[in-house]
Amino acid sequence: MYYYENIAILDPSLGEEELSDATEKIISLITGNGGEIVKNENWGKKDLAYEIHKRTKGFYLFIVFMAPAEVIKKLEDYYKVFDPVFKFMVIKMSKKEIAALIKAKQTDEKKEEETAEEGAEVV
C-alpha cells in the first residue's frame, strides 16, 4: 500500500449538510476498498486562482490516505461522475513526505497525551 494526498474542490453552493455527506461518501469509498484515512481536513470555501466551469469559489477538501493502487482508479472514476466535485488531484507521496507526515503525527499524539495528563492532574 502507498500513501496518497488528495485535494478535491467541491461546488461552493453546497450547504453544510451536503458538504459533510459528500466528504463521507469520498471517505467511505477509500475505506471500503481497503484504504485507511491518515488525515482529513476541510480547508473551507476559498477563491479559485482562475475560473473553472463558471465558478470562482470552491470548498477545498484535503485527505491523506494509505491505500492499494487500485483504489486510485476507482476514486478518480468516482470523481468524474460525482457532481459536487468539479476539480481533483491525487498525488502519490514520496518517502520524505511520508516520514515528515509520520513525525508530525507522532508529535501531535505526544501533545494530546501531555494535555490529557495535565487535565487528569487538575482533577
Side-chain angles (χ1 to χ4, degrees), residues 11-60:
D11 190 354
S13 64
L14 293 176
E16 196 67 34
E17 197 172 301
E18 294 167 321
L19 183 64
S20 64
D21 288 344
T23 303
E24 284 301 316
K25 286 180 184 179
I26 294 167
I27 290 173
S28 66
L29 177 72
I30 294 168
T31 55
N33 287 297
E36 179 184 328
I37 303 297
V38 176
K39 188 177 194 179
N40 177 22
E41 294 179 0
N42 182 349
W43 289 349
K45 193 179 208 179
K46 297 188 178 282
D47 291 331
L48 302 175
Y50 53 90
E51 189 174 296
I52 303 173
H53 303 293
K54 298 182 180 178
R55 296 180 180 108
T56 57
K57 293 183 182 280
F59 284 109
Y60 282 71

